Amino acid sequence: MDENPEPAVGVLGIYPRRSEYTIAEGKSTDILVDLINLTTSGEFFNLMVVNVPSSGLKIYPPQPDFIEYGEKKQVKVTVTPQAGWARKCDAKFMVFRMVDGTQVGEAHVQLTVTTASPPPAAEQKPDQPFIAFQSRGNIGVVLETVRFYVTPG
């Protein structure tokens, strides 16, 4: 975890492990966040992720969660950007917000979503060899080893 100053008493501490993430659409990334309760008692807290579409987000453990006074808990936020997120979230901040009813703690993470790589082009086969010929009123075509005859008329 990055070195962060200890928050003052009465504050909900939220510490993402990293300050920046780059994620490709359709790929999953886990973001680890440490939560510290420095209010005056144990409380139920709800960690919310704001400023990004909620589709493709999973928080574990499920929220709300009880955190004792002074206790530190780790939360895993799995982000799987869906198609179109790159347009909505390019280099924006994902906001983690922890609420206990009266107080709010907040931390920001820069989130850059890239478009998924296009699928590889279909493998093209070399041109099939063919021969066209005409013989006494017939037109013939040979593809590899198969012959076709067409009789005009």
Side-chain angles (χ1 to χ4, degrees), residues 32-107:
L32 299 177
V33 181
D34 291 323
L35 307 178
I36 303 173
N37 176 7
L38 293 176
T39 62
T40 56
S41 63
E43 298 282 345
F44 277 96
F45 292 96
N46 191 18
L47 179 70
M48 299 177 289
V49 181
V50 187
N51 208 32
V52 294
S54 60
S55 62
L57 292 177
K58 290 184 183 173
I59 300 175
Y60 183 82
Q63 301 296 307
D65 194 14
F66 189 81
I67 305 176
E68 291 287 348
Y69 166 72
E71 183 181 8
K72 177 168 115 178
K73 284 200 173 181
Q74 185 178 85
V75 174
K76 178 172 75 171
V77 178
T78 302
V79 181
T80 308
Q82 308 299 308
W85 271 34
R87 288 187 313 275
K88 297 175 188 173
C89 299
D90 189 35
K92 290 191 178 177
F93 284 92
M94 184 159 83
V95 178
F96 294 98
R97 190 169 288 151
M98 187 166 66
V99 181
D100 78 343
T102 59
Q103 299 188 53
V104 175
E106 199 168 277

Side-chain angles (χ1 to χ4, degrees), residues 4-5 9 14-15 17 20 22 44 46 48-49 60-61 63 77 79 88 93-94 98 108 110 118 136 142 144-146:
N4 290 305
V9 172
I14 303 175
Y15 298 104
R17 294 285 174 97
E20 297 179 18
T22 299
F44 277 96
N46 191 18
M48 299 177 289
V49 181
Y60 183 82
Q63 301 296 307
V77 178
V79 181
K88 297 175 188 173
F93 284 92
M94 184 159 83
M98 187 166 66
H108 298 184
Q110 183 172 343
R136 280 197 261 159
V142 177
E144 299 235 348
T145 59
V146 179

